[in-house]
Every structure is written in C-alpha cells, then in structure tokens.
Amino acid sequence: MTERRQAVEIDFDRATKVYPGRRQPAVDALSLSIPAAEICCLVGPSGGGKTTAMRLVNRLVELTSGDVRVGGRSVRSLDPVELRRGIGYVIQQVGLFPHMTVAENVAMVPRLLGWSRRTIAARVDELLDLVDLPAADYRSRYATQLSGGERQRVGLARALAADPPVLLMDEPFGALDPITRARLQRALLDLHAQVPKTIVFVTHDIDEAVLLGDRIAILQEGGVLAQYDEPDALLARPANEFVARFVGADRGLRRLSLRRLADVELEPGADGGPGLDEGTTLRDALSAMLAEGSDSVTVLRDGEPAGSVSLVSITSLLGEEM
Ligand code: ADP
Ligand code: MG
C-alpha cells in the first residue's frame, strides 16, 4: 500500500553541542557514520551525551559546531519540521494521548500529513499487525487499557506511521520488566528485518546493545566517543580502559551470546548431555551445561541430533580470539 522509502545513511561530522552556560561540551566533536539500514546503539554512562547526540539528528537539540548529515543532507539545511517527518522518535515514556484510542494515536502523523481517511485506516491496521497487536483487538482501546509493553509497541507503531527512513529510539525499553523487554527486543529485530530503517538506539545496557546493534558507539563522560565498532570487535578488543571497564569483566561471556551452536564445529556423536537446538547461543548452551552438570550438549537440527559440543570447546573459546 505505502511505497517504502529507502533507508539512509547518517553521518556525524565533528558534531559538538555545548549547552548555554556550560563550559564542558555534552557532545564533543563526535564523528561516526551509520550505514543505511543498520542499527547503531549509543551506549555509555548517564550524562555521557547519548540523548543529546541523538537529538542532534532531528534538531530537537541544535548543533554548536560540526554537522550531522541524514541521507547526505546537512540537518542545518533542512527545515526542522520537514526533517522530523522523515524521522520516527520513540522514547521511554511513550507519551500516548490518553483520551485517544490506539488507532487515533498511531494515525497522528498521517493525519498531520493530510492522508485520506481510508489510507490512514489501512495503514493503522497494517502497523498494529506489524508490532504484533492484532488491529481488531487493539485499535479501539485507550492507552490506560494497555500494559507497559503494549504501550511501547503502540509508540513504535506511531513512530513508523509515515514510514520514516530513520528511527531514533531513546532507552525505549528501559522501564519494562525483563521478559517484556526481551520480547520487544525480539520484535524490533524482526521488524527491522522486514522494514529496514536506519536506527539510532540509545541504551545504558551493554547487553541490549550487543543484542541489537550492528555497531555500537560507546560515549564517555563529556560526550567523547571512546569506541565505535561491531559488537564482537568491541568485546574482543576494547580500545581503552574505559571501554574495558564498561563492557565488563564478563565480556567473554557476552561474546558467547553472539555465537550459536550452529556456528561451531560439531563433534561427532550425540549421546552427551541435554539436547539443544542449533539456534541456541553458546552462552545459553554453557548455562545449560552448568545447570545440568553435563560436560557436553547434543545439538539438534530440525529436532534431530546432528552432533555435540563440549564444555571444554566452549570455555576454550572464552580465552582466545573467536
Ligand atoms: P545521557 O543521555 O547520556 O544521559 P544527556 O545527553 O542527557 O546524557 O546529557 C549530557 C550532558 O548534558 C549532561 O551533563 C547533562 O546534564 C547536560 N544536559 C542535557 N540536557 C541539557 C540542557 N537542556 N541544558 C543544559 N545541560 C543539559
Ligand atoms: Mg539520556
């Protein structure tokens, strides 16, 4: 129904923000490029400048110096209102209008854009289905009749309404319980696979960043970029002491969550230990072995034993380059 707009690249080019009356920059000469249709996680301590950096993209914060380009065009050269129409924005407190139904909330931007009633209705249903809220069940509910996780899904649908090529998400799942949070992380990855957008995702949770990010940017106090890398490289080779401390002593374990049983060479024989699907992460496999006191797992492919992986082979990966 709606034609898909191409995802675009985002370039920070020595982007700097000094808030009025402050001496230290909140974001200091930040340079990084986010390729089109990738998810970039901005991670760092509270006050590290993550929200500021993100808001430079949609000009909710104005640059002091340097530039940010979206699809090759400087945000300085674009009208802020126009610019924001191409950028979905999702925050922790979704800010749904309580006196409006779910459908009316999601339809907000299309209505501002003057779409026809019929196009809007079809788009709302499509979006609710996309975020796994069956339209028939949800379109007429009010925000107060939704759980926290459902509200966050509606916020995401609303941000996607006009099919923006860019999505900014500022700790969107921060207030959710761990199970709901994990579900929404999965939903976001599924959605991203279906509808590729360039996503800037702020989180202070390195595990969330490792799970979601194609790349991770770690910001240090004062808005200084400490490292920008793919998750595996970041965990394997922290650029400095700050990053090493931030990613934690158990960064080896975190790297195991990036690998699945299907990625390692199987040992023949399938009589040892619990059976796990080949899609299981090595971290979960290790956890299963420790929980069951077993020194190997049987790897299942389509439900059939395909070989095994031993505890020794997994722990040896912890100490070396994978
Ligand atoms: P983060 O999102 O990583 O927690 P922020 O970007 O919100 O960090 O804040 C970075 C720094 O800028 C902090 O020192 C914060 O106090 C300051 N700051 C944020 N917003 C404003 C503002 N509107 N005016 C002045 N200082 C601000
Ligand atoms: Mg913030």
Side-chain angles (χ1 to χ4, degrees):
M1 179 202 58
T2 35
E3 95 273 21
R4 294 268 167 251
R5 287 200 261 168
Q6 279 305 108
V8 294
E9 182 176 305
I10 301 174
D11 290 301
F12 289 83
D13 183 3
R14 297 193 61 78
T16 299
K17 177 64 184 181
V18 185
Y19 284 107
R22 291 216 160 207
R23 209 175 277 183
Q24 217 201 14
V27 172
D28 195 356
L30 177 65
S31 292
L32 59 87
S33 290
I34 307 170
E38 284 203 355
I39 302 179
C40 169
C41 289
L42 295 182
V43 200
S46 176
K50 304 182 295 295
T51 295
T52 302
M54 165 172 281
R55 289 172 153 219
L56 291 173
V57 178
N58 63 1
R59 287 187 63 179
L60 284 176
V61 170
E62 295 287 0
L63 286 156
T64 304
S65 64
D67 206 356
V68 175
R69 285 181 294 272
V70 177
R73 297 172 72 193
S74 167
V75 296
R76 291 171 180 278
S77 71
L78 300 168
D79 172 58
V81 174
E82 198 68 22
L83 172 70
R84 280 171 215 151
R85 286 199 181 133
I87 300 179
Y89 188 44
V90 186
I91 54 174
Q92 193 177 105
Q93 306 303 336
V94 222
L96 297 181
F97 299 104
H99 55 286
M100 288 184 189
T101 64
V102 164
E104 287 166 340
N105 269 285
V106 174
M108 209 58 193
V109 176
R111 270 159 63 198
L112 289 170
L113 294 175
W115 293 14
S116 77
R117 203 173 270 273
R118 190 190 301 190
T119 313
I120 293 175
R123 179 68 177 152
V124 166
D125 285 3
E126 180 189 49
L127 283 162
L128 290 178
D129 287 338
L130 193 66
V131 298
D132 251 340
L133 298 174
D137 280 3
Y138 284 90
R139 70 164 88 80
S140 304
R141 291 208 211 171
Y142 290 86
T144 50
Q145 300 169 310
L146 302 174
S147 70
E150 288 166 345
R151 270 200 286 271
Q152 235 26 55
R153 285 175 195 264
V154 175
L156 185 56
R158 185 175 65 185
L160 292 169
D163 197 27
V166 172
L167 206 52
L168 306 180
M169 306 184 76
D170 195 348
E171 310 215 24
F173 309 147
L176 302 174
D177 66 84
I179 292 172
T180 308
R181 188 174 195 183
R183 270 201 207 116
L184 278 169
Q185 290 168 338
R186 184 46 44 208
L188 180 67
L189 286 174
D190 288 347
L191 193 126
H192 185 249
Q194 290 176 60
V195 195
K197 308 260 170 215
T198 313
I199 301 179
V200 184
F201 189 105
V202 164
T203 176
H204 57 260
D205 176 355
I206 187 68
D207 287 316
E208 184 165 64
V210 167
L211 177 70
L212 297 178
D214 294 302
R215 283 162 216 264
I216 298 175
I218 300 209
L219 289 175
Q220 185 161 341
E221 267 90 12
V224 174
L225 182 64
Q227 188 165 0
Y228 181 48
D229 238 324
E230 292 175 8
D232 191 53
L234 191 106
L235 294 173
R237 292 176 295 280
N240 60 29
E241 194 50 38
F242 176 84
V243 177
R245 255 185 296 122
F246 196 82
V247 299
D250 49 355
R251 65 191 169 90
L253 286 176
R254 295 202 158 96
R255 287 187 78 199
L256 289 184
S257 65
L258 290 167
R259 293 278 186 300
R260 297 182 186 276
L261 289 170
D263 303 328
V264 300
E265 203 169 320
L266 299 186
E267 294 143 44
D271 48 1
L276 295 175
D277 183 78
E278 63 175 356
T280 307
T281 66
L282 297 187
R283 188 174 181 163
D284 288 344
L286 179 61
S287 162
M289 286 184 222
L290 296 175
E292 304 198 15
S294 164
D295 59 7
S296 72
V297 290
T298 301
V299 180
L300 305 176
R301 186 170 297 149
D302 299 323
E304 295 295 325
S308 63
V309 170
S310 68
L311 183 61
V312 176
S313 68
I314 292 185
T315 49
S316 68
L317 285 172
L318 280 171
E320 59 182 57
E321 291 289 314
M322 287 196 265

